[in-house]
Amino acid sequence: MSIATYIVLSIAFAIATMLLMRRCAETTPVKLTKGIAIMLVTALIYVILFVIGMSLGDMLRFEGADAPELYARTNAYIFLGLTLFVALRMLLPYLKRNPQLPIFDLRKWGGVAAMSVASGINVMLVGLGLGFVTPLTGHIHWAIWPLFISTTLMGYMGIMFGRQKVTMRPRRWMIIACILLLGCGIAAVVNS
């Protein structure tokens, strides 16, 4: 996998984080200095869960004894299946007429930690699928920095939008994020 895959996955999760932060900051506004701390903690938890998922996928990957690339297509299909599952899991709540989306209290650090872990499960599942396709060794910086930077920046932008009550079209943004996720899964199958 190239670094472009990691960047596209990071942008997809950053868009989802921006929508979540906008929703939470609209109901429980926080100071911008605390907002940057919230985003740094959230991005760090996302990175930890992503690396855990990748290392688990790396251990579970199917490999032939004589030819390591014998099951490359099978591993790519596992990655596609997990990205499809995560994309549907992220998109379906937005397709309802009156969506009841989760809102976390950003004023309490317990709520921030719960939000980060709950929304980071999707990141871990995609990391698990990515571990089937590519090993973690040699790609650790590709996995860490794009996700950390994009999630921090776009999540902080979501906090600013929520504080100002900026109107957004969350359904369209989530559709874009899911298309980016599925594009990475399809590209892995095509390149295997």
Side-chain angles (χ1 to χ4, degrees):
M1 301 298 295
S2 67
I3 192 167
T5 303
Y6 292 91
I7 291 172
V8 170
L9 288 174
S10 300
I11 291 171
F13 287 122
I15 290 171
T17 305
M18 178 183 68
L19 295 174
L20 175 64
M21 290 298 170
R22 187 216 164 274
R23 220 172 34 242
C24 294
E26 185 177 15
T27 57
T28 59
V30 292
K31 293 182 179 178
L32 291 178
T33 52
K34 186 174 182 181
I36 193 69
I38 288 169
M39 281 320 306
L40 289 173
V41 167
T42 302
L44 182 64
I45 291 173
Y46 279 9
V47 166
I48 290 169
L49 290 174
F50 190 67
V51 169
I52 288 172
M54 276 192 73
S55 60
L56 285 174
D58 194 11
M59 288 188 290
L60 297 173
R61 179 181 326 128
F62 297 109
E63 292 180 339
D66 298 331
E69 295 298 319
L70 182 64
Y71 297 106
R73 174 80 35 133
T74 304
N75 292 327
Y77 278 124
I78 292 171
F79 176 51
L80 176 63
L82 283 170
T83 54
L84 179 64
F85 173 74
V86 169
L88 289 174
R89 188 170 182 250
M90 289 168 52
L91 183 63
L92 286 179
Y94 286 90
L95 296 179
K96 295 178 183 174
R97 185 174 301 261
N98 295 319
Q100 299 294 325
L101 301 169
I103 296 173
F104 297 90
D105 189 1
L106 296 180
R107 294 172 293 193
K108 299 177 183 172
W109 286 106
V112 172
M115 173 199 62
S116 301
V117 172
S119 59
I121 296 299
N122 292 333
V123 178
M124 190 177 82
L125 288 174
V126 171
L128 177 70
L130 192 60
F132 275 92
V133 177
T134 183
L136 183 61
T137 54
H139 300 105
I140 187 79
H141 291 289
W142 290 5
I144 291 174
W145 297 113
L147 182 63
F148 186 79
I149 292 169
S150 64
T151 303
T152 302
L153 293 177
M154 291 190 77
Y156 189 62
M157 194 166 60
I159 289 175
M160 289 189 289
F161 287 163
R163 282 172 44 96
Q164 299 295 323
K165 296 185 178 15
V166 175
T167 57
M168 295 178 69
R169 299 180 189 268
R171 184 177 298 156
R172 290 183 185 174
W173 281 101
M174 190 53 74
I175 288 171
I176 291 170
C178 292
I179 288 172
L180 292 174
L181 281 176
L182 288 175
C184 291
I186 292 169
V189 171
V190 169
N191 293 332
S192 65

